Amino acid sequence: MAWQCGVRGSEAKVGAGILVKIAEIVGARPQFVKAGVVSRALRRQSDVEDILIHTGQHYDANMSQVFFHELDIPCPDYNLGIGSGSHGKQTAHMLESLEELLVRLKPDWAIVFGDTNSTLAGALAASKLHIPVAHVEAGLRSFNRKMPEEINRVLVDHVSDRLFVPTETGFRNLVAEGIPEEQVQVVGDVMFDAALHYSAKAEACSHALERLELDSKNYVLATVHRAENTDDPNRLFAIWTGLQELSKDIQVVVPLHPRTRKVLKERIGNPHGYEGLTVCEPVGYLDMVMLEKHARMIVTDSGGVQKEAFFHKVPCVTLREETEWVELVQLGWNTLVSPVSSKSIVNGCREVLAAKPGRMGSPFGDGTSAEKVVRSLAGQYATSR
C-alpha cells in the first residue's frame, strides 16, 4: 500500500496535552465537503489530534484535489491511492490498507461519512480492530436494497458506536432497526454547515456563471452519476434525451461526471452528442455552489445535491423512484421523477418549473452540526477516561 503524508497544521499538537486521537476516513467528493467542516471544528480543540485518511476512491483532480484547496482542508496525512474498481475489489483493497494503517495509528475514534465504499471499508476495518466508529450522516434509508449506497448505510450503522443523524427521520429509522437510542444523536446536517460557511466565499471567488455564459435564474443545472441510472442504458438514454428536449425551453448545464461520460460513450454510443446542452467538466465545490444558487431548477440523482438545492431554495427534480431525504419532498422543494422515459422527465421538469416554491422549514439543524459531533466525541472520551 502507498502511504503518502501531507502537511498538516495539527502536527504541532501531537504530544502536547492530547486526550483523544481521531481518524477521519474519506474518499469521495461529498465526503470532502463533510470532512471540511468537521476538520475545522476538530482543529479548534487543543486536546484533540485529528488524522485525515484519504482512500483515493475519487482521485481525479476535479473530483478530489480542488476540494481540499477550496475548502481549506489540510492535505491528507495519508493517501492510500486505491483508485477505481468493482465494488468488491475496491472495498477489499481499502480494507487491507486501512487495517494496516489503523493498527499503526491506534486512534481512539474512527469517523466515517455518508454511504460510499470508503465509508463501509473504514467502518469495517475499525470495528474489527475494536476501534469505536462514529458515523456522520447516519440513519438515512431509501429502503431500496438494489442501491449499493443503501447496503453501505445499513451495514455501517450497525457496526457504529456513535451515530450522528441529520434529521429526526434518521433517528426513527435507527431506533426501528433496534439500535439503542443512547448511541444515536440528532445533530443536524454538516452539509448545511458547509453551505452557510462557504456561500459568501463562492460569490466572491467563483466565476462559473461568466465562464459558462449563464444568466442567473435562467438555466437548469443537471447532474447524473448514480449506478442505477448510468448502468442502465435505457434509463441513461431517457435522461440524456430528456435533458436535450428540456434544453429547447431553457438552457441546461451539465457538469459531466467521469463515470457518466464514460458510459455515455461506451454503452449508448452517445448518439446525439451534446447537442443543445451546455456540457462541462466536473466543477469544484465553490463553482458548484454558485451554479446551484443561481439555477432556476436543479435536476439530479445525487443525495447531496438534493439537499444543497434546498439550502439555496432552488426547486429540485430527483431522477429516482425514492429518496433518503423525505423531508424535502414533504416540504415541496423536491419532486421525484422516475427516469423511465424522456417524456416523463420533460413533463416532470416542466411541471416543477411552472410550480410555486415549496414551504419553508428547517429540518437540517442550525448550522452547528460539526461542533456537536466534535463535542460529543471529545466529551465522551474524556468522561470514559
Side-chain angles (χ1 to χ4, degrees):
M1 89 186 210
W3 284 332
Q4 300 170 6
C5 293
V7 178
R8 290 189 42 91
S10 64
E11 289 176 349
K13 296 195 296 185
V14 177
I18 297 300
L19 292 179
V20 57
K21 181 191 291 187
I22 295 177
E24 299 179 78
I25 300 170
V26 300
R29 179 178 175 140
Q31 295 168 330
F32 306 148
V33 179
K34 297 162 192 169
V37 291
V38 173
S39 289
R40 191 167 60 250
L42 285 170
R43 296 199 305 270
R44 288 197 286 265
Q45 301 291 320
S46 60
D47 56 355
V48 173
E49 177 191 355
D50 72 301
I51 302 166
L52 189 61
I53 303 169
H54 185 353
T55 66
Q57 180 174 337
H58 279 178
Y59 51 88
D60 181 273
N62 288 333
M63 303 290 286
S64 179
Q65 255 180 299
V66 66
F67 279 73
F68 286 83
H69 172 71
E70 291 184 344
L71 302 180
D72 192 30
I73 307 172
C75 293
D77 294 282
Y78 301 93
N79 189 328
L80 305 182
I82 300 300
S84 59
S86 67
H87 287 290
K89 181 179 179 180
Q90 187 182 63
T91 305
H93 286 170
M94 289 177 185
L95 266 170
E96 180 181 17
S97 297
L98 285 168
E99 181 182 62
E100 185 178 344
L101 180 57
L102 292 173
V103 166
R104 172 183 165 186
L105 294 174
K106 297 180 174 62
D108 300 298
W109 281 97
I111 303 181
V112 295
F113 302 84
D115 56 18
T116 71
N117 288 341
S118 295
T119 314
L120 177 61
L124 287 175
S127 65
K128 287 179 176 291
L129 294 170
H130 307 294
I131 297 168
V133 176
H135 186 197
V136 174
E137 203 177 77
L140 302 189
R141 296 292 183 269
S142 68
F143 302 101
N144 178 1
R145 290 296 182 96
K146 292 182 180 180
M147 291 175 58
E149 296 89 349
E150 183 77 354
I151 300 301
N152 291 347
R153 292 178 196 130
V154 174
L155 294 175
V156 171
D157 282 342
H158 283 267
V159 299
S160 294
D161 300 272
R162 178 53 58 99
L163 299 101
F164 296 108
V165 300
T167 65
E168 293 291 340
T169 302
F171 179 87
R172 291 192 294 270
N173 288 339
L174 294 176
V175 172
E177 292 177 11
I179 292 177
E181 290 188 24
E182 60 269 21
Q183 292 180 222
V184 185
Q185 186 174 347
V186 181
V187 296
D189 198 310
V190 293
M191 288 190 72
F192 184 44
D193 295 21
L196 294 177
H197 182 79
Y198 293 108
S199 181
K201 184 177 180 180
E203 291 284 355
C205 299
S206 172
H207 302 286
L209 299 187
E210 295 90 335
R211 187 172 68 251
L212 295 171
E213 300 180 351
L214 303 174
D215 295 325
S216 181
K217 301 302 176 183
N218 197 31
Y219 64 90
V220 169
L221 174 65
T223 74
V224 182
H225 79 280
R226 282 197 183 269
E228 63 196 84
N229 287 329
T230 60
D231 289 356
D232 184 329
N234 293 327
R235 287 170 75 101
L236 185 57
F237 184 76
I239 292 169
W240 200 248
T241 54
L243 292 176
Q244 288 180 314
E245 182 66 25
L246 184 64
S247 72
K248 297 175 182 178
D249 301 343
I250 184 171
Q251 187 172 3
V252 178
V253 181
V254 188
L256 200 55
H257 192 285
R259 170 197 186 100
T260 311
R261 186 184 294 274
K262 180 180 179 182
V263 176
L264 277 169
K265 182 177 181 180
E266 292 180 354
R267 298 212 174 183
I268 66 174
N270 196 13
H272 300 296
Y274 300 146
E275 182 182 351
L277 303 175
T278 302
V279 175
C280 64
E281 293 295 321
V283 297
Y285 180 70
L286 298 181
D287 280 349
M288 191 63 176
V289 168
M290 279 296 285
L291 292 175
E292 290 169 342
K293 286 181 67 174
H294 291 273
R296 184 172 167 190
M297 180 179 71
I298 293 173
V299 180
T300 189
D301 58 9
S302 162
V305 174
Q306 292 174 50
K307 288 186 296 178
E308 288 169 340
F310 172 74
F311 298 156
H312 304 305
K313 297 298 179 281
V314 176
C316 182
V317 169
T318 295
L319 299 175
R320 290 170 53 192
E321 282 77 15
E322 71 288 307
T323 179
E324 307 76 34
W325 303 107
V326 294
E327 298 86 357
L328 304 181
V329 177
Q330 293 165 353
L331 288 171
W333 286 99
N334 191 10
T335 301
L336 296 174
V337 174
S338 179
V340 293
S341 70
S342 59
K343 183 178 181 180
S344 67
I345 293 168
V346 173
N347 289 343
C349 289
R350 285 172 175 164
E351 287 178 11
V352 171
L353 284 170
K356 294 180 179 179
R359 303 189 311 278
M360 300 303 294
S362 302
F364 299 109
D366 59 5
T368 62
S369 303
E371 296 288 348
K372 292 171 183 172
V373 168
V374 171
R375 285 200 303 269
S376 176
L377 296 183
Q380 186 190 48
Y381 184 83
T383 300
S384 68
R385 284 291 209 207

